Amino acid sequence: MANILCSPSKYVQGAGEMKKLGEYAQKYGKKALVLITESGYKRIEDVLKVGFEGYDIEPVYEYFNRECSKTEINRLVAVMNEKGCDVVIGIGGGKILDTAKAVAYYKEVPVLICPTIASTDAPCSALSVIYTDEGVFEEYLFLPANPNMVLMDTEIIAKSPVRLTVSGMGDALATYFEARACQRTDAPSLEFGGITRSAMALCKLCYETLKEYGAAAKHACENQVVTPALDAIIEANVYLSGVGADNGGLAVAHSFYNGLTALGGHSAPHGNCVAYGTLVQLILEGAPKAEFKEVQDFCREVG
């Protein structure tokens, strides 16, 4: 089994970068299907107008219908055919971004990913999680490539709900421990290859970044300011966790979440469930008590 390492072609993170969206996007196509929620569009409408104004690309806005399902993907493929779009731009949270990646895959066009929250590692992965129309996990759609570009506007993330950034830390928390489990058992990564030393280094850096900056980043989010701590956590939640999971693999933590979607009856965000699943995994592994306590204390510290 060959060792494999994949990542987005371009990753940009900085304050106010969404105002340059058209500048970036015009390099990939002339007419973009822009997938966003209606509430999300209202929240950043002024930013998007600035972002596309004066650039050689036309945005075609389409509101997201809540679930990354086959029904929604097929609907959006039909919209692209009707409107003649040649690039997809996903703006929002994990399910929107996964849907955008899937639509771009079936249309064989570039995809730009623009998260407005840092709640999952979906932006950077070569993977779409497909649900039923009712929101029950159905399958993973493995994609041949990571997104062409990921654009993180830290000002927008700083103004997003604090609980979502905390949820992102929960999703990122599993990255190192799931990759370690895959490495120990010679299980393949999500790229169906062996795990490189580079991938494990990213996964370990993800965990170390969470421990060092997590609490301070939460405080920055509560005050809606971009600080070095928040900048570090956004990178950990999105890039380090996304590329780490892709190239490191998944284990109990995410399986635990997938099972919960079938049970229903809870409203906890994805990352909170994955964080709890990480603790479950450590118990199943018989991890040292000190390590379990370190992870549990982190979960309590960031809420």
Side-chain angles (χ1 to χ4, degrees), residues 177-192:
F177 297 102
E178 290 189 294
R180 184 179 70 178
C182 291
Q183 186 185 51
R184 284 174 174 173
T185 57
D186 291 324
S189 71
L190 294 180
E191 295 295 335
F192 299 101

Side-chain angles (χ1 to χ4, degrees), residues 5-22:
L5 183 66
C6 295
S7 66
S9 298
K10 190 166 192 173
Y11 179 86
V12 176
Q13 178 176 314
E17 287 299 313
M18 191 75 86
K19 293 177 181 177
K20 302 178 184 177
L21 180 55

Side-chain angles (χ1 to χ4, degrees), residues 18-74:
M18 191 75 86
K19 293 177 181 177
K20 302 178 184 177
L21 180 55
E23 179 183 345
Y24 292 120
Q26 67 182 357
K27 299 173 184 177
Y28 298 96
K30 296 292 185 183
K31 196 171 188 179
L33 176 76
V34 182
L35 184 61
I36 191 170
T37 62
E38 185 173 4
S39 61
Y41 179 76
K42 290 176 180 177
R43 184 159 68 95
I44 64 169
E45 181 179 1
D46 292 342
V47 175
L48 291 173
K49 284 181 178 178
V50 173
F52 281 109
E53 189 176 0
Y55 293 107
D56 190 23
I57 184 166
E58 177 188 349
V60 176
Y61 293 100
E62 189 68 28
Y63 293 145
F64 180 57
N65 283 344
R66 299 182 59 187
E67 285 299 339
C68 180
S69 66
K70 292 174 182 176
T71 302
E72 177 68 349
I73 292 166
N74 290 336

Side-chain angles (χ1 to χ4, degrees), residues 57-302:
I57 184 166
E58 177 188 349
V60 176
Y61 293 100
E62 189 68 28
Y63 293 145
F64 180 57
N65 283 344
R66 299 182 59 187
E67 285 299 339
C68 180
S69 66
K70 292 174 182 176
T71 302
E72 177 68 349
I73 292 166
N74 290 336
R75 181 184 76 83
L76 292 167
V77 167
V79 171
M80 288 199 71
N81 290 336
E82 178 189 347
K83 302 291 186 179
C85 299
D86 58 359
V87 60
V88 180
I89 301 176
I91 302 176
K95 289 189 176 183
I96 285 182
L97 307 181
D98 275 1
T99 304
K101 288 185 287 183
V103 172
Y105 164 67
Y106 286 117
K107 283 295 297 175
E108 298 183 338
V109 299
V111 59
L112 280 68
I113 297 298
C114 307
T116 55
I117 53 178
S119 62
T120 73
D121 56 17
C124 288
S125 70
L127 172 75
S128 289
V129 185
I130 308 299
Y131 298 85
T132 66
D133 293 331
E134 294 71 38
V136 177
F137 170 78
E138 187 170 335
E139 64 183 357
Y140 290 123
L141 173 63
F142 294 100
L143 306 170
N146 302 72
N148 298 83
M149 181 176 179
V150 176
L151 179 63
M152 298 295 304
D153 189 323
T154 53
E155 283 183 351
I156 291 175
I157 305 299
K159 294 174 183 176
S160 67
V162 178
R163 64 182 177 83
L164 296 180
T165 299
V166 170
S167 173
M169 293 189 220
D171 197 21
L173 179 63
T175 306
Y176 169 64
F177 297 102
E178 290 189 294
R180 184 179 70 178
C182 291
Q183 186 185 51
R184 284 174 174 173
T185 57
D186 291 324
S189 71
L190 294 180
E191 295 295 335
F192 299 101
I195 301 170
T196 64
R197 287 187 290 273
S198 299
M200 285 307 301
L202 290 175
C203 294
K204 189 172 183 181
L205 178 60
C206 182
Y207 180 48
E208 291 171 348
T209 301
L210 292 173
K211 289 189 294 180
E212 184 173 356
Y213 296 106
K218 181 184 179 184
H219 183 67
C221 257
E222 289 168 342
N223 290 278
Q224 298 191 347
V225 293
V226 180
T227 65
L230 180 58
D231 201 61
I233 286 300
I234 291 171
E235 184 179 341
N237 285 9
V238 177
Y239 186 83
L240 295 176
S241 181
V243 176
D246 241 13
N247 297 284
L250 301 180
V252 170
H254 274 80
S255 297
F256 177 85
Y257 165 76
N258 291 343
L260 283 183
T261 66
L263 295 175
H266 76 90
S267 58
H270 169 81
N272 295 46
C273 300
V274 171
Y276 192 89
T278 303
L279 295 173
V280 172
Q281 177 175 318
L282 290 173
I283 289 174
L284 291 174
E285 290 177 334
K289 290 182 179 179
E291 183 176 65
F292 179 89
K293 185 177 185 303
E294 180 179 84
V295 175
Q296 188 179 47
D297 287 348
F298 168 80
C299 291
R300 287 172 170 161
E301 182 181 32
V302 299

